[in-house]
Amino acid sequence: MGGIRVVARIRPQQTSELDRDCIVSSSHADGDTSSQPTLVRIPSFKNENEVFSFQFSSVYDETSTQQAIFDNEITPTIKHLFHGFDVTIFAYGVTGTGKTHTMRGGKSLADRGIIPRLLSSTYRRCRKVEKDSAGKTSVGITLSYYEIYNDKVFDLLEAPEKRTQSGLHLRDNGGKTVVVGLTERPCESLKEFEKIYDLANVNRSTSATKLNAHSSRSHAVLCFKLTMTTGDEVRVSTASAIDLAGSEDNRRTDNGKERLVESASINKSLFVLAKCVEAISQNQARVPYRESKMTRILSLGQNNGLTVMILNLAPSRSYHLDTISSLNFANRTKKIEVREIENEPISKGCSRAVPSATGSSMQRQPLRSLASTLHNTAMGPKPSSKQQDKPAKTFSVYSDRPKNPSISAHAARDTNKRSSPLKRPSEVGSSAFSRPAKRRSPERDHRPSGMMSKEAIEDMIEKKVSNILATRAIDHTTSAPVPEISEDVQRRLELLEQKVDGHDDGRQQGLTFLLMAKQHAVRGEDRSALRMFLLARDYFPDNAKLTMKIEKLQSKLKGRESSKDILGVEARTDVASREKAGRPRPKEADVQDMNADVRQARKSTADDDYRDGVARDSDGEYDSSDSFRYRPKKAKGRKKTEAPESAADGAETPRTKQLLSIINSRDVGRIRLLQGVGARRAEAMVEALCGGSEEGDGSCQVVVQSLAQLGHLRGVGVKTVERMRSGLNG
């Protein structure tokens, strides 16, 4: 039995720390003649005149180097590793005390940490062992690296994208805790290890806090398995290097939401570790290893091997309470006793010979305790015939196979004829009571012996799947009859398949032209609609309905062109009649307004005709030979604002007469008081009414006779007329 070796290391002061704030120091114990200090001194938090002293195996101050710590503390454990002992090295301390620097180190040769130095020394010793044994002993190293982040285990040798939400699981195997599904990679050289180790460290969870710019947010565990093979003998030993995350005071780190969750998980695991150490030191019956995955993996006091703990301390006064807490934890940890037991070598091949019976298959006999049988024989047999037929048994092993009663009776009688109570009957059996051979099924005779090849497994799976699918297909066909498909549905399915495959012979393009033509027609763009219909006629040449629509549009466009010519003739005739009668020639703007009114009226008439045509043709088909049918939606146009009833019927109401009298008075002051009419619109109306007088004497000859005529004035519409009329009191 041996205790855990605890080594303390005091980190150097940082640039932001002052010399007067340094409160932690190292010193030699009384009567200690060793070169290395063993005491850590720190003043009390309440009374600085009182100094606490903690004694450990070794204490390294801020001037110590990485090489000195490794040579004095880690190098002696390497020879034990090659002798079959397991080695565990872990760093403990508050955040910002240099744990990761101690374990991992820097990139330079002098700053390398314990882990790269340990692997380097192990590879050198491997080559030495192989050379000394003249090649009879071969040594192999297998590497695994994982982290415990938020109490979940994640493999660092795999990419973060392959991680599951719950992480890897832990299992107990022979008194040791193993990680299920952990990647193990063989490493043949130190260069290969450095490459794998650097890539894995990139996957580790780190973040910046107020106390540490590169704070570890998880516990990292590096394990390498050393396998030594000498002939048929194999010896396996494991070395574990653990970089624990430091405990944090969130009042000092100013952690955010995510950092707070990580800090809570780290502090919880370290608190459970302290509880385990306290329970072991007080010899309690229950040690709460399973309350945290980190303590379950570390298993202080349960693992058989050498354990080295490196306690990292900060010298500054700002870490005073945390440093005292860490020293108390380390002081309890060094009292834990560990069983230093080497791993037994394993022999290759089968370790037990399996008896076989030639010619017959043996029935397994029930197991009995030899001591119990000897005691019962020494007491002497009783005259009871029942006990002679069936001897006393302590326990039996039952089989699922049915037993032969005749064979059991023969075995019982043969047991009573033993010459010595320590002897057992032969498993093969005597010639007088030979057991008959069991029937062997043909499947069991053709069962392959040993491991099945990959091809055999795939063939077997394929046969099983094909049999299951065939059975399901037979059940499906017999249970539910398949309904017949009509010709119409079959034809539609074929058209859909042609459409999906792209073999529609240009029909899709023709339908596109028809759809575009309908859209142009709805917007009143007859020329564009006619152009689209003409393009679609190339794809539907025998469609009478399409031909009729084209002819209708062509006739409509021709009628519009003729109406334009008539409108121009009427305008010229009106001008000539005005000149002959001596009336002033209308202004160019008035002529344009008149032409615009005529065009608007004709357009509304054409649109009404077109909508009627669309309504009549909405139920038609372009091609009766196929299933295309165009059903345009009902036009959701704005309702036309009808003229007042007086304008339509010709009857003038008192309100209409009052409105016309105000308009014909040409008084801007009265007109602007009407509802919906402002000063500008009133002036425009007066100018429109007096526009025919060119003498400038103010004589206005235009008189508004009806509301319809008033609505055609410039700047006045039907809605404006309705508002002016409704605003009058009557």
Side-chain angles (χ1 to χ4, degrees):
M1 300 290 288
I4 296 178
R5 183 176 178 84
V6 178
V7 179
R9 184 183 188 185
I10 305 171
R11 69 161 173 80
Q13 285 185 327
Q14 297 178 353
T15 56
S16 59
E17 297 174 350
L18 302 177
D19 293 337
R20 65 172 180 268
D21 292 334
C22 182
I23 59 175
V24 182
S25 62
S26 60
S27 63
H28 291 271
D30 295 338
D32 187 10
T33 58
S34 61
S35 60
Q36 197 65 36
T38 57
L39 290 180
V40 176
R41 298 184 183 275
I42 184 172
S44 173
F45 184 76
K46 296 182 179 180
N47 184 12
E48 292 190 358
N49 295 325
E50 183 182 1
V51 179
F52 296 143
S53 297
F54 297 88
Q55 187 173 7
F56 302 110
S57 300
S58 298
V59 178
Y60 296 87
D61 57 8
E62 58 272 8
T63 60
S64 60
T65 60
Q66 300 272 57
Q67 185 66 38
I69 296 175
F70 179 79
D71 292 341
N72 297 333
E73 308 299 335
I74 309 301
T75 302
T77 63
I78 297 177
K79 63 179 181 180
H80 294 285
L81 183 65
F82 279 83
H83 290 162
F85 291 90
D86 292 340
V87 177
T88 302
I89 305 165
F90 69 98
Y92 181 89
V94 189
T95 180
T97 55
K99 298 181 298 299
T100 304
H101 177 75
T102 301
M103 299 300 294
R104 188 196 304 179
K107 291 296 183 181
S108 63
L109 190 62
D111 290 339
R112 287 194 308 167
I114 289 176
I115 293 176
R117 292 176 187 273
L118 177 61
L119 267 297
S120 178
S121 300
T122 303
Y123 279 116
R124 285 200 304 269
R125 194 173 183 88
C126 288
R127 291 193 296 268
K128 184 178 182 300
V129 169
E130 292 176 351
K131 184 178 180 181
D132 294 344
S133 63
K136 295 181 181 180
T137 302
S138 61
V139 184
I141 295 178
T142 306
L143 183 70
S144 60
Y145 194 21
Y146 58 95
E147 69 173 353
I148 306 173
Y149 176 72
N150 288 344
D151 208 33
K152 297 177 183 178
V153 180
F154 297 107
D155 193 352
L156 292 177
L157 298 182
E158 294 291 340
E161 299 83 22
K162 298 182 180 180
R163 293 181 177 180
T164 59
Q165 194 75 13
S166 59
L168 303 178
H169 300 281
L170 303 181
R171 296 289 183 270
D172 293 332
N173 183 17
K176 295 182 179 180
T177 303
V178 296
V179 182
V180 181
L182 187 63
T183 303
E184 293 185 351
R185 292 187 184 179
C187 291
E188 302 295 336
S189 62
L190 183 62
K191 289 184 178 180
E192 185 178 357
F193 162 75
E194 290 176 350
K195 182 179 179 181
I196 296 174
Y197 187 59
D198 291 340
L199 291 176
N201 285 325
V202 175
N203 299 331
R204 188 181 176 187
S205 302
T206 58
S207 181
T209 63
K210 189 176 180 180
L211 298 180
N212 191 356
H214 301 281
S215 176
S216 301
R217 314 309 298 168
S218 63
H219 309 296
V221 182
L222 174 71
C223 297
F224 67 90
K225 188 184 296 182
L226 185 70
T227 306
M228 298 179 61
T229 306
T230 306
D232 294 338
E233 185 178 284
V234 179
R235 187 187 296 272
V236 179
S237 57
T238 305
S240 302
I242 305 173
D243 179 16
L244 297 179
S247 59
E248 294 181 347
D249 186 357
N250 292 317
R251 294 170 297 181
R252 298 174 57 202
T253 54
D254 290 342
N255 288 331
K257 181 179 180 181
E258 186 177 358
R259 302 286 88 79
L260 282 174
V261 175
E262 298 169 350
S263 177
S265 177
I266 293 170
N267 292 338
K268 176 192 172 184
S269 60
L270 294 176
F271 176 69
V272 174
L273 178 61
K275 287 173 60 178
C276 293
V277 172
E278 184 70 21
I280 294 171
S281 62
Q282 295 180 2
N283 295 325
Q284 295 181 4
R286 178 184 178 274
V287 181
Y289 290 113
R290 291 181 174 269
E291 292 186 8
S292 174
K293 291 187 177 179
M294 186 268 288
T295 55
R296 189 176 174 187
I297 291 172
L298 191 56
S299 299
L300 288 179
Q302 283 191 334
N303 47 1
N304 302 328
L306 297 132
T307 304
V308 179
M309 171 182 170
I310 301 176
L311 176 64
N312 292 87
L313 302 173
S316 178
R317 187 182 299 273
S318 59
Y319 291 87
H320 199 161
L321 286 176
D322 295 328
T323 303
I324 293 177
S325 177
S326 300
L327 288 170
N328 288 325
F329 171 80
N331 195 39
R332 292 192 299 268
T333 304
K334 72 178 182 180
K335 300 176 184 178
I336 298 176
E337 294 183 352
V338 181
R339 297 184 298 272
E340 297 180 359
I341 303 174
E342 62 178 299
N343 298 321
E344 296 181 359
I346 304 172
S347 299
K348 290 184 178 179
C350 184
S351 60
R352 172 185 282 182
V354 180
S356 61
T358 57
S360 64
S361 179
M362 301 298 295
Q363 180 77 18
R364 179 181 290 180
Q365 295 183 359
L367 300 179
R368 307 172 193 85
S369 175
L370 291 178
S372 175
T373 308
L374 178 61
H375 176 71
N376 294 336
T377 308
M379 294 294 291
K382 294 184 179 180
S384 176
S385 61
K386 182 178 180 181
Q387 206 164 16
Q388 289 180 358
D389 296 338
K390 186 176 181 181
K393 302 183 183 67
T394 305
F395 56 88
S396 298
V397 176
Y398 296 95
S399 173
D400 295 336
R401 303 171 186 172
K403 294 183 179 180
N404 194 344
S406 62
I407 296 175
S408 301
H410 290 317
R413 283 196 295 272
D414 186 68
T415 307
N416 292 332
K417 296 179 181 179
R418 293 179 184 174
S419 58
S420 173
L422 296 179
K423 283 189 177 182
R424 290 189 180 181
S426 174
E427 293 184 358
V428 180
S430 62
S431 59
F433 303 103
S434 61
R435 295 174 176 82
K438 289 185 178 179
R439 284 188 177 182
R440 303 179 66 88
S441 61
E443 296 181 357
R444 195 171 290 180
D445 292 338
H446 295 288
R447 185 177 296 173
S449 60
M451 297 296 294
M452 297 181 65
S453 63
K454 185 177 180 180
E455 292 78 7
I457 294 174
E458 291 179 354
D459 294 340
M460 183 174 64
I461 293 173
E462 186 176 358
K463 289 180 182 179
K464 290 287 185 181
V465 171
S466 60
N467 292 336
I468 293 172
L469 292 178
T471 306
R472 290 182 180 177
I474 293 172
D475 296 341
H476 183 70
T477 52
T478 55
S479 60
V482 180
E484 296 182 358
I485 302 175
S486 61
E487 295 181 358
D488 188 18
V489 175
Q490 186 67 29
R491 182 167 56 84
R492 290 175 179 269
L493 290 175
E494 291 176 358
L495 291 174
L496 286 174
E497 289 178 358
Q498 292 179 0
K499 183 177 180 180
V500 171
D501 297 337
H503 303 294
D504 53 354
D505 299 332
R507 179 180 174 80
Q508 181 67 28
Q509 187 66 24
L511 295 177
T512 304
F513 287 142
L514 286 175
L515 181 61
M516 294 172 64
K518 284 293 182 181
Q519 292 175 353
H520 287 302
V522 169
R523 291 195 295 264
E525 301 170 356
D526 293 336
R527 290 187 179 277
S528 300
L530 178 60
R531 192 179 302 110
M532 292 296 107
F533 278 130
L534 291 175
L535 292 174
R537 187 172 60 181
D538 297 339
Y539 298 95
F540 307 103
D542 300 331
N543 196 316
K545 194 75 173 178
L546 181 59
T547 305
M548 184 177 66
K549 280 201 169 292
I550 293 173
E551 293 176 354
K552 186 176 180 180
L553 278 177
Q554 289 176 347
S555 61
K556 184 185 293 187
L557 292 175
K558 289 180 180 178
R560 285 187 183 178
E561 292 176 357
S562 60
S563 65
K564 288 181 181 180
D565 297 339
I566 294 172
L567 180 62
V569 172
E570 289 178 354
R572 289 192 294 272
T573 305
D574 183 48
V575 171
S577 61
R578 281 175 176 272
E579 291 178 352
K580 185 179 291 185
R583 287 181 293 176
R585 186 172 181 173
K587 296 181 180 179
E588 187 66 25
D590 296 337
V591 175
Q592 292 178 0
D593 292 340
M594 293 170 62
N595 294 339
D597 294 338
V598 173
R599 284 196 298 270
Q600 184 67 25
R602 291 186 179 277
K603 182 177 180 181
S604 61
T605 306
D607 289 344
D608 294 339
D609 296 341
Y610 177 74
R611 291 190 182 92
D612 295 340
V614 171
R616 288 192 300 271
D617 299 337
S618 60
D619 296 332
E621 294 185 1
Y622 283 106
D623 192 357
S624 59
S625 62
D626 49 44
S627 60
F628 173 74
R629 181 174 296 170
Y630 180 77
R631 300 179 186 274
K633 296 182 180 179
K634 295 182 179 180
K636 297 182 180 180
R638 293 179 298 180
K639 294 183 178 180
K640 293 184 178 181
T641 306
E642 298 179 355
E645 295 180 0
S646 59
D649 300 336
E652 293 184 355
T653 61
R655 185 178 298 182
T656 304
K657 292 180 179 179
Q658 182 182 359
L659 176 61
L660 294 178
S661 63
I662 294 172
I663 296 299
N664 291 324
S665 66
R666 275 75 168 175
D667 187 358
V668 177
R670 295 180 62 189
I671 295 175
R672 64 181 295 182
L673 295 177
L674 295 173
Q675 184 177 355
V677 180
R680 292 185 179 181
R681 182 170 290 182
E683 293 176 358
M685 292 171 63
V686 172
E687 290 180 0
L689 292 173
C690 300
S693 177
E694 294 182 352
E695 291 82 0
D697 53 358
S699 60
C700 298
Q701 300 177 1
V702 179
V703 178
V704 180
Q705 302 291 339
S706 64
L707 296 179
Q709 188 178 359
L710 176 61
H712 285 85
L713 291 177
R714 180 183 300 178
V716 183
V718 178
K719 292 183 178 180
T720 305
V721 173
E722 185 65 26
R723 284 198 298 269
M724 290 189 296
R725 183 173 174 274
S726 61
L728 296 175
N729 295 326

